[in-house]
Amino acid sequence: MTQQQTAGGDVRLTGISKTYGSFTAVHPLDLTVPQGSFFALLGASGCGKTTTLRMIAGLEEATTGTVTLGGRDITALPPYKRPVNTVFQSYALFPHLDVTENVAFGLRRRGVKAVRKQVGEMLDLVQLGDFAHRRPHQLSGGQQQRVAVARALINHPQVLLLDEPLGALDLKLRRQMQLELKRIQTEVGITFVHVTHDQEEAMTMADTVAVMNGGRVEQLGAPADLYENPRTTFVANFLGTSNLIEGEIVSTSTEIVVSAGGGKLRLPGSRCQAPATSGGRLLLGIRPEKISLARAEDAGAEAEGRNRVAGRITDSSFIGVSTQYVVESPAGEALHVYEQNVEHRAGLAPGAEVVLHWNPDHTFGLDAAQDIAAGVESVEDAA
Ligand code: ATP
């Protein structure tokens, strides 16, 4: 959260929760969305992100807690009295109205007669000036979604809520629309709160991401910080891919040494998120792109001081920009390694004996009492 943003229009959730009978969809939650930021609520299906968004919109009554906007308590206000608009996945455009009239709808409802200038500006903003007289069914999914955004923004809300707005689009269009929405947000400077299950989408667009799991915010931060410094196995696995290696702590000081898979691995003490005492267990995390591969017969040529794990390639997939390897080793059954395709690497095929090596500084440490596979299935579900 940047300091230069004024606190004046922040959205603040204090102790907000939602229960349905005996089921708690959202546990008491404290969250501040700074004015002018692009904020993402990220999580797998059922984690409570939509419920949280709907409580901000007023579409869902909070069981406990308050919602304030710019210091004003709006908890008891009905949705139409909140300076907030929502864009849904389904667009919900009026099929019988053209683009201009769809966008003008909010103005007309408020009795504004001269809509042309404002609608023109909005269509320029979403780059649909040439489509003003088309009906929704004559537009692509991405264009319809931009009409929905223009229709919401013309009301000058203080906050725009986006509920999986790109969920119905195919992957390529979704990527384009992510950049497009980011551009629009930067241009209008309005606070956007975006709900998505797609971690890449959240990381591409948002300044701040709140990762939700089981009705709670598990970790909140800038995308790069969440990626590099996950505090839980769920965040480590849900945001991208992590190799998590369990081991026993041998020694601790500024550097922690862990015995795992018959070897010694090291990590900086400052990157350890768990209490570290000799003899205790620890999960070591390393991202696949931070690991280099050497053929076993070439091993030893790599720089001194690197973490090393011996293993055997069980799978390799060429995906253009990189090759992704799966390696079986005593430290882990399926360690993932991503190598950029800079030059052809002979001899790195399934069955090859290899050594994985990486800079210890890239290793993070997590509490071994957690479920090592938390968040893994969620990623597959979302794919
Ligand atoms: P999705 O991406 O699938 O929409 P989500 O993270 O947005 O998931 P929510 O829609 O917030 O999840 O729902 C959170 C939990 O609350 C889910 O387990 C859901 O089944 C439950 N829930 C939501 N609405 C109701 C309701 N009206 N009655 C009972 N349970 C509900």
Side-chain angles (χ1 to χ4, degrees):
M1 289 168 219
T2 52
Q3 291 302 313
Q4 65 267 32
Q5 284 154 346
T6 34
D10 293 357
V11 177
R12 186 159 292 158
L13 310 183
T14 310
I16 202 99
S17 75
K18 182 71 191 178
T19 54
Y20 296 104
S22 61
F23 176 73
T24 303
V26 178
H27 293 271
L29 182 67
D30 295 318
L31 199 65
T32 299
V33 181
Q35 181 184 1
S37 65
F38 200 131
F39 191 95
L41 290 167
L42 169 70
S45 181
C47 72
K49 54 196 188 298
T50 299
T51 305
T52 304
L53 193 84
R54 288 172 64 84
M55 290 193 283
I56 301 174
L59 297 167
E60 203 75 68
E61 198 181 327
T63 307
T64 63
T66 57
V67 183
T68 61
L69 181 52
R72 175 176 165 227
D73 191 335
I74 59 168
T75 319
L77 287 186
Y80 64 92
K81 286 200 175 155
R82 300 186 183 202
V84 165
N85 268 96
T86 310
V87 174
F88 299 97
Q89 178 176 333
S90 58
Y91 323 137
L93 300 178
F94 302 112
H96 57 290
L97 297 180
D98 67 8
V99 168
T100 296
E101 285 307 314
N102 262 286
V103 174
F105 182 77
L107 297 180
R108 296 234 190 265
R109 206 175 47 174
R110 281 187 277 130
V112 179
K113 295 251 160 46
V115 299
R116 184 186 261 211
K117 183 164 173 287
Q118 283 194 65
V119 171
E121 283 169 5
M122 277 302 145
L123 292 184
D124 285 347
L125 177 72
V126 299
Q127 297 179 339
L128 283 179
D130 296 339
F131 298 82
H133 300 299
R134 292 218 191 157
R135 298 267 178 91
H137 74 271
Q138 297 168 314
L139 300 173
S140 72
Q143 290 162 345
Q144 290 183 46
Q145 192 52 280
R146 285 187 291 180
V147 176
V149 170
R151 190 178 58 171
L153 287 177
I154 205 162
N155 300 318
H156 298 292
Q158 271 177 268
V159 183
L160 188 70
L161 305 175
L162 302 123
D163 190 0
E164 296 270 8
L166 310 180
L169 306 179
D170 68 45
L171 188 63
K172 204 161 175 191
L173 194 53
R174 213 156 78 204
R175 297 276 172 261
Q176 282 172 12
M177 279 298 292
Q178 288 165 7
L179 300 177
E180 186 65 13
L181 277 177
K182 180 77 194 151
R183 177 191 64 78
I184 292 169
Q185 193 270 338
T186 310
E187 218 165 303
V188 296
I190 289 173
T191 311
F192 278 29
V193 183
H194 182 102
V195 157
T196 180
H197 65 267
D198 180 341
Q199 47 97 18
E200 217 171 290
E201 180 164 307
M203 292 208 278
T204 304
M205 300 169 81
D207 310 313
T208 307
V209 178
V211 184
M212 290 190 73
N213 182 23
R216 292 189 168 85
V217 170
E218 189 130 337
Q219 194 173 345
L220 181 147
D225 188 37
L226 291 177
Y227 186 81
E228 298 298 344
N229 301 303
R231 284 204 296 265
T232 64
T233 54
F234 180 86
V235 176
N237 291 323
F238 193 74
L239 250 71
T241 300
S242 292
N243 294 298
L244 296 175
I245 300 169
E246 188 170 352
E248 185 182 318
I249 298 170
V250 176
S251 66
T252 63
S253 65
T254 49
E255 191 171 73
I256 298 171
V257 181
V258 173
S259 159
K264 297 265 190 322
L265 300 172
R266 293 172 301 126
L267 76 153
S270 59
R271 298 206 61 193
C272 187
Q273 305 284 352
T277 45
S278 292
R281 312 288 299 169
L282 196 65
L283 288 173
L284 267 68
I286 180 73
R287 294 290 190 179
E289 73 281 6
K290 306 279 198 302
I291 304 177
S292 300
L293 274 183
R295 293 184 308 177
E297 56 263 43
D298 302 332
E302 62 277 3
E304 269 305 300
R306 297 191 45 99
N307 279 336
R308 285 180 179 76
V309 166
R312 190 167 51 84
I313 296 177
T314 55
D315 191 40
S316 86
S317 343
F318 175 82
I319 59 154
V321 68
S322 66
T323 303
Q324 306 193 345
Y325 300 93
V326 182
V327 177
E328 188 179 57
S329 91
E333 274 176 28
L335 300 177
H336 294 262
V337 181
Y338 301 163
E339 282 222 326
Q340 265 197 299
N341 284 321
V342 182
E343 55 206 35
H344 178 64
R345 300 284 315 270
L348 293 183
E353 300 290 334
V354 289
V355 171
L356 290 67
H357 58 99
W358 67 92
N359 182 343
D361 289 349
H362 292 146
T363 317
F364 53 88
L366 299 176
D367 191 339
Q370 300 171 83
D371 175 9
I372 194 168
V376 173
E377 276 155 35
S378 318
V379 172
E380 282 163 5
D381 290 347

